[in-house]
Amino acid sequence: MTRPFAQGHSDPTVQPVPASVVEQVDAADTTLSNPKWAVISIGSNLGNRLETLQGAVDALEDTPGVRVKAVSPVYETEPWGVEPGSQPSYFNAVVVLKTTLPPSSLLERAHAVEEAFNRVRDERWGPRTLDVDIVAYADVTSDDPRLTLPHPRAHERAFVLAPWHDIDPQAQLPGRGTVAELLSAVTRNGIEARRDLELRLPE
């Protein structure tokens, strides 16, 4: 069931699940037979950032063949790859889920969730209402240009590694090593844990 937003907002994720996704999982497969683990990074630096991230978590949970298992603390992050002060700061978090969707269908759903929140792709490193990235999918490694696994820059991004480490200190990034080791090798400058904010794990 889709969860309501705060008063005055309509839920933009109330839309048909793409037909290809439905075909992959035979509609709502609540048993999740033989699921795989996946790690998703979410971020927003436009609009109501916390509400948007919560909406993304809820939309992932509402996807047939997906069950959200853990949601990280929220981090506030300086924008990546742009001049300091040229964009609002991001709220970032990591979601760990189990899914029967293959990586290609999970990517399709990630893009659909972004579009539901009016994501615009006009410029590289541009501001965005919502960014949904697949960081890792089980132990899969792939050089497919449409979906490189694991994410090709995850190992150098503290705003991915820190929240992931918070919810799974033993996590490993396939082909790169432990998240703890990777996190110790990158700077945490420009990211701050927002302990005053919280994303709800879907019921």
Side-chain angles (χ1 to χ4, degrees):
M1 184 179 74
T2 304
R3 293 152 190 83
F5 273 50
Q7 185 68 29
H9 293 269
S10 61
D11 185 346
T13 69
V14 178
Q15 60 179 8
V17 175
S20 60
V21 173
V22 175
E23 291 169 4
Q24 288 285 351
V25 297
D26 294 325
D29 176 9
T30 58
T31 62
L32 288 188
S33 177
N34 193 30
K36 305 295 186 185
W37 287 96
V39 178
I40 307 292
S41 173
I42 55 177
S44 173
N45 77 332
L46 294 176
N48 188 325
R49 296 167 294 173
L50 186 66
E51 183 179 89
T52 296
L53 294 190
Q54 184 65 59
V57 172
D58 292 346
L60 289 169
E61 173 67 16
D62 287 343
T63 302
V66 171
R67 292 294 175 271
V68 173
K69 306 303 291 185
V71 180
S72 78
V74 176
Y75 280 74
E76 188 162 11
T77 308
E78 290 300 314
W80 176 274
V82 299
E83 286 295 320
S86 64
Q87 292 183 22
S89 61
Y90 276 85
F91 283 174
N92 290 102
V94 162
V95 180
V96 175
L97 52 83
K98 281 187 172 183
T99 183
T100 54
L101 298 180
S104 59
S105 292
L106 188 60
L107 177 65
E108 185 175 326
R109 180 54 174 162
H111 287 168
V113 173
E114 288 179 338
E115 290 166 9
F117 284 89
N118 302 311
R119 164 70 184 270
V120 175
R121 298 178 182 274
D122 285 343
E123 60 178 301
R124 184 175 173 83
W125 313 125
R128 58 207 60 181
T129 54
L130 180 62
D131 198 17
V132 180
D133 286 328
I134 301 175
V135 176
Y137 182 99
D139 295 324
V140 173
T141 57
S142 169
D143 292 328
D144 185 335
R146 185 167 181 266
L147 177 58
T148 303
L149 290 171
H151 191 286
R153 290 176 294 279
H155 66 284
E156 59 191 28
R157 291 179 167 178
F159 65 83
V160 173
L161 299 171
W164 188 4
H165 183 265
D166 284 346
I167 52 176
D168 186 1
Q170 308 303 317
Q172 296 207 20
L173 186 64
R176 293 287 184 177
T178 68
V179 170
E181 291 171 341
L182 295 169
L183 182 58
S184 70
V186 299
T187 178
R188 292 199 187 209
N189 291 343
I191 77 164
E192 176 187 0
R194 289 294 305 267
R195 304 300 180 189
D196 56 320
L197 304 177
E198 184 177 11
L199 294 172
R200 304 182 310 277
L201 190 64
E203 299 177 358

